Amino acid sequence: MTESDFLAFLVDETLKLQKSGEVELSSLELKLNDYGLSYLKGEFLPQSQVLRFKTSFGVLDIPINWSVFALESTSGHDVILSESNDPDLLLTVLKTAWVPDHERMLIIHADGFCYIVGLKTGEELHLHDLQNPQEWLKAA
């Protein structure tokens, strides 16, 4: 998927969700809740070109051209932040402000939203399932 296609997809999905006004949980959110994982749900704001996450410590706006959120660096793929892969110290900052015992963070897109999923030691076993929902659907 090209950068412009991915950006157009984000805008289209965001506008659809805003117009529908639905507050349904996505299949990803249902999995995250079932697994008991901590996550932040970010909405793309086309006017300001940011992902807005509502958190317990306030609103967190991250520009879409910043670090691991930049389209050219992710190509629409998931990103896993760890101590060895934390180019802008986002993991370090979020561990301090959000949940200190997270060892990794998964940045994933689903249903028109961006999710930052905190993973504690031992929760990495959910990574494969979270990143490959189609495998779970085929088995069901």
Side-chain angles (χ1 to χ4, degrees), residues 3-68:
E3 180 178 330
S4 60
D5 291 342
F6 185 65
L7 186 57
F9 169 76
L10 277 178
V11 171
D12 291 343
E13 288 296 308
T14 300
L15 293 176
K16 274 195 280 185
L17 290 168
Q18 288 173 346
K19 285 180 185 174
S20 71
E22 293 181 21
V23 189
E24 293 180 13
L25 292 179
S26 70
S27 59
L28 176 63
E29 284 180 80
L30 291 172
K31 272 188 196 181
L32 294 170
N33 290 332
D34 283 347
Y35 295 153
L37 299 175
S38 301
Y39 65 92
L40 300 174
K41 180 179 178 180
E43 179 181 5
F44 176 63
L45 301 178
Q47 305 86 336
S48 53
Q49 298 289 296
V50 298
L51 290 165
R52 173 162 288 167
F53 298 87
K54 293 180 182 162
T55 72
S56 58
F57 53 88
V59 173
L60 174 64
D61 285 343
I62 300 175
I64 61 167
N65 64 353
W66 187 63
S67 180
V68 295

Side-chain angles (χ1 to χ4, degrees), residues 111-122:
D111 303 315
F113 293 98
C114 178
Y115 295 85
I116 300 175
V117 181
L119 299 167
K120 300 174 187 171
T121 302

Side-chain angles (χ1 to χ4, degrees), residues 119-133:
L119 299 167
K120 300 174 187 171
T121 302
E123 292 178 337
E124 299 91 12
L125 60 101
H126 299 302
L127 277 174
H128 182 77
D129 186 33
L130 293 173
Q131 293 180 293
N132 300 288

Side-chain angles (χ1 to χ4, degrees), residues 85-123:
N85 177 34
D86 192 12
D88 295 314
L89 302 176
L90 179 63
L91 173 66
T92 306
V93 169
L94 286 178
K95 279 177 68 166
T96 303
W98 185 26
V99 181
D101 55 353
H102 287 163
E103 296 298 318
R104 293 181 181 191
M105 291 194 184
L106 169 66
I107 298 169
I108 188 168
H109 297 274
D111 303 315
F113 293 98
C114 178
Y115 295 85
I116 300 175
V117 181
L119 299 167
K120 300 174 187 171
T121 302
E123 292 178 337

